Amino acid sequence: MEALPPREVVAFDEHWRVAHAFGTGTPGWLVLMPRRHVTAVAELSDAEAAALGVWQVRLSRALHAVTGCRKTYIAQFAEAAGFAHVHFHIVPRADDLPADLRGPRVFALLARAPEDDLSEARRDELALAIRDRL
């Protein structure tokens, strides 16, 4: 994991790895994924499941501190082609997020025009700030 840039390994433990999402202009949009291949939440081991809740809360706290978000959204679908591996989106919801992008509509902020994406350098910067808060 040491060879990966900070945006790819914000943090990790024996069960989970956290990365900053790509394809978004939302600072701090994180993806929490098991380190082994799992296609459904029911396949998680008890140890993975126990660590999951702790990660979700710790990441939410770090996002509040780093981004100033009002709350975080946590979602898991693992349905898109090429993304069937279980992963959780931990999305900071800013105070000024328009009402038409709140709740599940926040996913409209993914896969936007490349010029609207955060740069790799900015995602690395955010990853390091979040890592420092964990």
Side-chain angles (χ1 to χ4, degrees):
M1 296 241 187
E2 295 151 7
L4 295 171
R7 66 186 171 275
E8 293 294 329
V9 186
V10 174
F12 69 95
D13 68 11
E14 64 186 290
H15 303 295
W16 296 93
R17 177 171 67 96
V18 182
H20 193 291
F22 58 88
T24 183
T26 303
W29 187 311
L30 302 177
V31 179
L32 174 62
M33 61 208 103
R35 292 187 58 188
R36 68 181 183 93
H37 183 62
V38 178
T39 60
V41 171
E43 297 172 5
L44 293 174
S45 70
D46 288 345
E48 290 165 332
L52 173 61
V54 174
W55 272 113
Q56 290 174 339
V57 172
R58 288 181 65 217
L59 292 169
S60 292
R61 289 176 181 154
L63 286 171
H64 281 268
V66 172
T67 71
C69 64
R70 172 173 294 269
K71 61 173 59 181
T72 52
Y73 294 149
I74 299 175
Q76 189 277 329
F77 302 106
E79 294 285 310
F83 295 96
H85 181 82
V86 164
H87 59 284
F88 294 83
H89 293 263
I90 316 289
V91 185
R93 202 277 276 160
D95 282 342
D96 62 352
L97 185 69
D100 65 334
L101 291 174
R102 292 186 182 188
R105 295 180 304 267
V106 74
F107 280 89
L109 296 174
L110 282 181
R112 301 183 88 173
E115 61 271 13
D116 294 333
D117 290 350
L118 294 173
S119 69
E120 290 180 348
R122 178 67 175 131
R123 288 186 285 141
D124 283 344
E125 177 185 316
L126 287 158
L128 291 172
I130 292 163
R131 184 184 296 168
D132 286 345
R133 293 302 300 207
L134 291 172

